Amino acid sequence: MYLFFVWLFILFISSFFFFFKQKTAYEMLRSLVGSEMCIRDSQRRVRGGSRVLMEPQALKVCCIGAGYVGGSTMAMMALKCPHITVTCLDINQARVDAWNSDNLPIHEPGLLEIVREVRGTRLFFAGVAEYDQVVSEADMIFVCVNTPTKKHGVGKGQ
């Protein structure tokens, strides 16, 4: 449940952290959720309306940073958005290897099952060797890196 709220919060504020390629924020969000809000039944049929709804477009998302925020948020995005392919990049190869195994670098209840379900199909983890290719192919880039601690002035060490 916590992962869902983190994912929702990140999507809500993500317009400040996205780098878009030839699309506005509205067009990107519209392609994530479709052209209309709708309810789908268990067979994925649209209920309650006669309008023809646009299916979401396939997107490639890149996340720079596979830590507590990047890794868990992108895992949830890959789970909840089947038309999105997510690749998390990290400079720490040991962390990338951990994400690619069953010994995840962070603990979050239920996260391992989510990662197992989508890893290798819609969720990928890569190191710096793939950085140029992944970033150049991405439609959307999230930056989820550490915020440095202030070392001087008002708020030092906070």
Side-chain angles (χ1 to χ4, degrees):
M1 189 59 146
Y2 172 75
L3 288 174
F4 174 75
F5 287 111
V6 168
W7 176 77
L8 189 62
F9 177 74
I10 294 297
L11 281 180
F12 180 73
I13 64 166
S14 61
S15 62
F16 298 107
F17 301 103
F18 289 164
F19 297 107
F20 295 105
K21 290 183 177 178
Q22 302 171 355
K23 291 185 180 180
T24 65
Y26 173 76
E27 290 170 330
M28 293 299 274
L29 290 175
R30 188 172 147 190
S31 66
L32 285 174
V33 299
S35 63
E36 301 282 339
M37 295 301 288
C38 61
I39 299 172
R40 295 183 186 270
D41 62 13
S42 61
Q43 285 80 35
R44 306 279 299 152
R45 292 178 301 209
V46 176
R47 289 191 165 261
S50 59
R51 290 186 180 182
V52 176
L53 301 179
M54 180 180 80
E55 286 298 318
Q57 298 173 358
L59 290 176
K60 288 187 177 183
V61 173
C62 170
C63 178
I64 300 173
Y68 288 97
V69 175
S72 58
T73 303
M74 296 304 122
M76 184 59 72
M77 184 180 290
L79 178 71
K80 296 293 184 182
C81 303
H83 58 284
I84 293 178
T85 302
V86 180
T87 304
C88 291
L89 298 172
D90 203 286
I91 60 172
N92 184 342
Q93 189 61 43
R95 183 179 294 160
V96 171
D97 294 340
W99 279 108
N100 284 319
S101 72
D102 284 344
N103 187 18
L104 300 183
I106 64 172
H107 174 72
E108 184 69 43
L111 181 61
L112 180 58
E113 290 78 20
I114 291 170
V115 171
R116 280 181 182 159
E117 185 176 335
V118 294
R119 183 176 49 209
T121 57
R122 296 187 308 262
L123 178 65
F124 302 91
F125 296 94
V128 293
E130 293 88 4
Y131 178 84
D132 290 336
Q133 177 186 357
V134 172
V135 170
S136 66
E137 292 176 355
D139 296 310
M140 186 182 307
I141 301 172
F142 285 82
V143 179
C144 300
V145 296
N146 293 335
T147 303
T149 304
K150 190 172 181 181
K151 297 187 180 197
H152 60 280
V154 178
K156 175 182 171 185
Q158 296 180 3

